[in-house]
Structures are given as C-alpha cells and as structure tokens.
Amino acid sequence: MRLVIGISGASGVWLGYKLLQILKSYTDIETHLVITEGAIKNFALETTLDIAEVLKLADFSYANNNLGALIASGSFTTDGMVIVPCSMKTLAGIVHV
C-alpha cells in the first residue's frame, strides 16, 4: 500500500507525527510525506520534536514547494492520502480546487 501523508500547519501537528509512528510499524505500507512550512513552525511551537525525527518516520519526504517531486506527477499512483491535522481552511481549499 502506498500512502501520501500531508502534515498541514493547523494546530495539532502531533497527530501527524503519531500517525507516522503507527504506519511505520506496518511493513506493507509505503509512506510519502509532505510537511508545510506552517507545520514546521507548529512542530517547534507545539512539540519538543526535531523535524528530522518526523521526517525519519516516512519512507520518502518532499518539500511542500517541490513541483518536481515524485508525488506531484499525475502518473504517481497511490492508495490514498491523509492530511492531518486538517483545518477547515485546508479542507475547503482541497474541495474547491
């Protein structure tokens, strides 16, 4: 299974970290992680985690502004995407793309 994990700048970035911890225990799940700049700031404000600790939990990670990232291609197939935490603003932006 291949999942894209997005950690947004909404309050509660700890939830994204915990999700990655859980997914890491499944050997049949490949994770592709994108962390927004806002999320990086919230990790510093809301947790004692170093962002490198979070990145190590994913199989692959990408800068949120990298349009050449593997996951940005329309031919990149996934089994799903999770955005956590997901604010109403982020959800509305996804719905209205």
Side-chain angles (χ1 to χ4, degrees):
M1 176 178 282
R2 182 186 275 176
L3 292 177
V4 175
I5 310 299
I7 300 181
S8 76
S11 186
V13 292
W14 183 257
L15 295 171
Y17 173 74
K18 295 303 285 181
L19 175 64
L20 286 168
Q21 278 187 316
I22 292 166
L23 292 175
K24 188 72 172 174
S25 68
Y26 292 90
T27 57
D28 61 336
I29 298 177
E30 178 182 288
T31 55
H32 294 259
L33 175 64
V34 178
I35 302 177
T36 67
E37 294 298 321
I40 292 171
K41 289 178 185 175
N42 273 354
F43 269 108
L45 293 170
E46 296 180 0
T47 74
T48 57
L49 294 169
D50 185 289
I51 202 67
E53 293 177 62
V54 180
L55 294 171
K56 284 193 302 189
L57 291 172
D59 295 306
F60 302 92
S61 60
Y62 310 92
N64 71 313
N65 61 354
N66 182 358
L67 295 177
L70 184 63
I71 62 171
S73 170
S75 63
F76 184 79
T77 58
T78 69
D79 294 293
M81 180 174 184
V82 180
I83 300 173
V84 59
C86 188
S87 68
M88 291 309 292
K89 179 181 177 187
T90 299
L91 181 60
I94 292 167
V95 170
H96 294 290
V97 170

